[in-house]
Amino acid sequence: MTCAAMSSMINIIKQNSSFVRPQYFIINGFHDIPHAKFYYMFLCFAYIVAVCGNSIVMFIIFTQRSLHIPKYIAILNLAVADLGESSALIPNLIKTFLFDSQYITYEACLANMFFVFFFIALQSITLVVLACDRFVAICLPLRYHTLLTNTTMSVMITGMWVVDVVITGTTTMLITRLSYCKTIVIDSYFCDHGPLYRMACNDNSANSIMAKVNTVLFLHVPLVFIVLSYVCILLALFRITTWEGRLKALKTCISHLLIVALFFLPYISTYIAAVTYSLHPNARIICLSLASALPPMLNPIIYVLNTEEIKGFLKKMVKQNTSSIIPIN
């Protein structure tokens, strides 16, 4: 065998063995918490409520032609994101810990990571779109139907999905360039990007950059945009002469404000706590799992209670069912 052939063979071997990928990872979860199974049972209950609630909201928006308007197209997208995020996270979490199955294959881990972060990011961006809807409705009411049409909203949502797929897909694909030769135990409750790339024994600088990009694009920028939009909305409300008019306009924002607080406050609180002092892994897992489980469960309830169109449809359905059950003499 010639020296050139030998050198070529060595290079091929080096390329094929350059990344050490384990067959599976171990999801660590809670550290010695008694009765943790009761918490997982609560998450199971939250998932059932989230599936039922978001399915009802999606059904109502699909079937009611009067709701085929920009605002409800965005709410439909939020329901899809809520349902996708809870389905990507909670069933796997319950299977992992409630049934003591903490092993997850390498490929399944990457898929789990992609879908969890994809739908969390989609939730965040959709809240920005809903803030934009409220901004135009209150600050530019005469131009609302010109600026926000069904086509405009559909284009915005399609663009969101494309950006989300590209960013989250790139973040996930960069994990495949990492080698794991120290440990395969993930200190989280799912295939979390941060703990996973920090476990690597080769250069993870690209992964660290993508983690910061994701945080800025899907947490900081949306929150700043929403805050600025509501500053403009408050300024517009002060220009309304009557208190009755101000309260009527503000009432249309209550649902969105509640959902924004429900989504962002747990993440921000956990981030500040982690930066300020050492946050115990169990506390981090509880905070982040609640931040992932509660919004999909409560968002449909908030919209049903604060949206006259959805409440009206449900009352109509209840009356129809009641009249069909009670016999007419």
Side-chain angles (χ1 to χ4, degrees):
M1 185 179 292
T2 64
C3 292
M6 192 70 134
S7 176
S8 176
M9 185 177 293
I10 290 171
N11 287 333
I12 291 172
I13 292 171
K14 284 182 178 179
Q15 288 172 6
N16 290 337
S17 61
S18 57
F19 302 117
V20 181
R21 296 169 183 167
Q23 290 185 344
Y24 58 86
F25 291 106
I26 299 172
I27 310 293
N28 205 11
F30 287 120
H31 295 269
D32 301 323
I33 286 189
H35 311 298
K37 288 188 177 182
F38 290 108
Y39 179 67
Y40 297 129
M41 290 170 68
F42 163 74
L43 292 179
C44 182
F45 168 77
Y47 176 64
I48 293 170
V49 174
V51 170
C52 295
N54 286 290
S55 298
I56 290 170
V57 170
M58 291 164 64
F59 173 77
I60 293 172
I61 295 173
F62 268 122
T63 56
Q64 285 295 101
R65 292 189 64 84
S66 61
L67 299 181
H68 294 176
I69 57 177
K71 176 184 175 181
Y72 288 100
I73 292 174
I75 292 174
L76 175 65
N77 194 67
L78 181 63
V80 171
D82 286 342
L83 190 59
E85 186 258 348
S86 55
S87 297
L89 184 64
I90 297 179
N92 275 329
L93 191 151
I94 292 169
K95 176 186 77 69
T96 300
F97 299 113
L98 198 58
F99 299 105
D100 295 323
S101 177
Q102 294 175 269
Y103 294 90
I104 184 169
T105 64
Y106 181 85
E107 293 78 12
C109 185
L110 294 186
N112 177 243
M113 181 199 305
F114 173 82
F115 285 111
V116 169
F117 282 103
F118 172 82
F119 285 114
I120 289 176
L122 193 62
Q123 288 172 314
S124 179
I125 309 172
T126 305
L127 292 176
V128 173
V129 173
L130 287 167
C132 180
D133 173 84
R134 291 300 85 208
F135 169 79
V136 176
I138 294 173
C139 298
L140 305 167
L142 298 178
R143 300 182 63 190
Y144 180 83
H145 295 291
T146 304
L147 294 174
L148 282 183
T149 62
N150 285 355
T151 302
T152 305
M153 184 60 74
S154 299
V155 169
M156 289 171 64
I157 289 174
T158 303
M160 285 163 37
W161 279 71
V162 171
V163 170
D164 197 358
V165 167
V166 171
I167 298 296
T168 310
T170 303
T171 303
T172 305
M173 287 299 296
L174 284 173
I175 293 291
T176 62
R177 297 177 56 82
L178 299 179
S179 294
Y180 297 93
C181 48
K182 298 177 184 177
T183 179
I184 57 171
V185 178
I186 303 173
D187 283 325
S188 188
Y189 60 103
F190 74 106
C191 283
D192 199 347
H193 179 256
L196 197 57
Y197 85 78
R198 292 189 191 98
M199 288 162 46
C201 53
N202 60 337
D203 180 33
N204 60 8
S205 55
N207 305 85
S208 179
I209 291 169
M210 285 307 298
K212 292 178 175 64
V213 168
N214 276 270
T215 303
V216 171
L217 282 182
F218 299 131
L219 186 63
H220 297 163
V221 171
L223 186 59
V224 169
F225 185 92
I226 291 169
V227 169
L228 290 176
S229 67
Y230 273 101
V231 169
C232 295
I233 287 171
L234 285 174
L235 294 174
L237 290 177
F238 284 125
R239 290 197 292 267
I240 299 174
T241 54
T242 63
W243 276 102
E244 184 182 353
R246 292 174 185 174
L247 291 174
K248 185 178 179 181
L250 186 60
K251 188 180 178 182
T252 63
C253 302
I254 290 175
S255 298
H256 182 249
L257 284 170
L258 288 173
I259 290 171
V260 167
L262 193 62
F263 179 83
F264 284 103
L265 283 179
Y267 287 113
I268 294 170
S269 302
T270 305
Y271 179 77
I272 293 173
V275 171
T276 307
Y277 57 91
S278 180
L279 191 65
H280 193 278
N282 289 341
R284 179 180 176 274
I285 289 172
I286 290 173
C287 291
L288 293 180
S289 60
L290 286 176
S292 301
L294 291 181
M297 178 179 75
L298 296 178
N299 286 353
I301 298 171
I302 291 171
Y303 269 114
V304 167
L305 293 178
N306 289 285
T307 307
E308 291 298 327
E309 295 90 342
I310 295 179
K311 280 199 294 187
F313 177 82
L314 290 175
K315 288 177 182 176
K316 183 180 176 182
M317 290 289 292
V318 170
K319 285 181 181 179
Q320 288 178 350
N321 291 332
T322 304
S323 62
S324 64
I325 293 171
I326 299 175
I328 301 175
N329 295 327

